[in-house]
Amino acid sequence: MSHPTSFPGADERPHLEAQPMAHDDAGGSLPDALKLLVSGGFGVGKTTFVGAVSEIEPLRTEELLTSVGVGTDSLDGVQHKSTTTVALDFGRLTLNPEYVLYLFGTPGQERYWFMWDELSRGALGAVVLADTRRLGDSFAAIDFFERRGIGFLVAVNEFDDAFRYEPEEVRAALDLKPHVPVVLCDARHAQSAVSVLVELVQHLLSLAASPDPAALRHPTR
């Protein structure tokens, strides 16, 4: 998948229709403003995802990859990548009249993981983007959110040259608990990325209605 390096302004974006949201009969509820993280490994499409859905010009902190990263940043499977997020990506999406989402994309390179703790403060949920060409890179983000009891889902970003797998195959490969949603998406396209966010909010509503702290945590690997 060839990711764009820039995104149009809010006035140029396609109109996103209000998304219907089902409410849990058990009374689950969430705040009107939701802080959500978009996380995952290096080069998995986090900046693209945030930029595709943001109704404002997204904030990006990208820098060019240089020879300094040789031997540190593996480009296997993402040889086309020329920039990297060094702090965060930020975007905003009014999902429907009820929910405004504030999206924070985390840096993917290991040497910037210290930012994750700060970015996760106050976050209610997360999207873990996965690339089937580098599926093992997803474990760090999954472990991070499991250990902190933050609800998340896994969204497989279907790159053009990647193998296609069914969600349950990805679940088994990542050793995910049964309640964690696994969805497929194309991070370049707004409607696809919005569908992921709708699924995440539905998942968080379900967790709020019937919280099970034990289910959110995973035994030490």
Side-chain angles (χ1 to χ4, degrees):
M1 183 187 317
S2 177
H3 288 174
T5 56
S6 62
F7 303 96
D11 57 337
E12 300 173 0
R13 295 182 186 280
H15 174 68
L16 298 177
E17 296 181 0
Q19 300 291 320
M21 298 293 296
H23 292 276
D24 196 291
D25 293 337
S29 62
L30 296 173
D32 295 338
L34 307 180
K35 178 181 179 180
L36 303 177
L37 300 185
V38 179
S39 192
F42 175 57
V44 79
K46 300 179 293 295
T47 298
T48 300
F49 185 100
V50 173
V53 300
S54 181
E55 63 195 12
I56 62 173
E57 186 66 24
L59 169 66
R60 297 186 294 269
T61 58
E62 290 191 303
E63 296 292 342
L64 289 173
L65 289 170
T66 67
S67 58
V68 174
V70 174
T72 301
D73 305 321
S74 173
L75 294 178
D76 291 343
V78 288
Q79 290 85 351
H80 67 278
K81 189 170 177 61
S82 60
T83 61
T84 184
T85 298
V86 297
L88 61 96
D89 299 306
F90 174 76
R92 186 189 71 204
L93 173 65
T94 302
L95 193 59
N96 62 21
E98 287 186 86
Y99 297 115
V100 177
L101 310 183
Y102 295 92
L103 307 176
F104 292 78
T106 65
Q109 293 164 284
E110 186 172 355
R111 63 179 179 274
Y112 298 125
W113 285 358
F114 68 91
M115 291 286 300
W116 291 20
D117 276 317
E118 189 64 32
L119 291 174
S120 68
R121 295 181 187 277
L124 294 181
V127 173
V128 176
L129 279 176
D131 178 353
T132 58
R133 300 168 303 177
R134 298 154 59 99
L135 201 55
D137 290 356
S138 304
F139 282 117
I142 290 170
D143 285 341
F144 181 88
F145 296 121
E146 284 180 339
R147 292 178 185 279
R148 286 158 180 78
I150 296 175
F152 69 96
L153 61 69
V154 172
V156 178
N157 192 8
E158 295 195 300
F159 288 83
D160 293 335
D161 58 347
F163 290 110
R164 297 292 186 260
Y165 296 97
E166 294 298 321
E168 289 309 307
E169 294 179 287
V170 175
R171 178 187 307 283
L174 293 176
D175 194 22
L176 295 172
K177 287 187 174 294
H179 76 282
V180 177
V182 179
V183 297
L184 308 177
C185 75
D186 186 332
R188 298 171 297 185
H189 301 305
Q191 292 291 358
S192 180
V194 168
S195 294
V196 172
L197 295 172
V198 169
E199 182 75 19
L200 175 60
V201 174
Q202 296 283 21
H203 178 53
L204 296 176
L205 280 168
S206 177
L207 293 177
S210 182
D212 181 3
L216 294 178
R217 300 187 180 278
H218 195 291
T220 303
R221 298 185 189 279

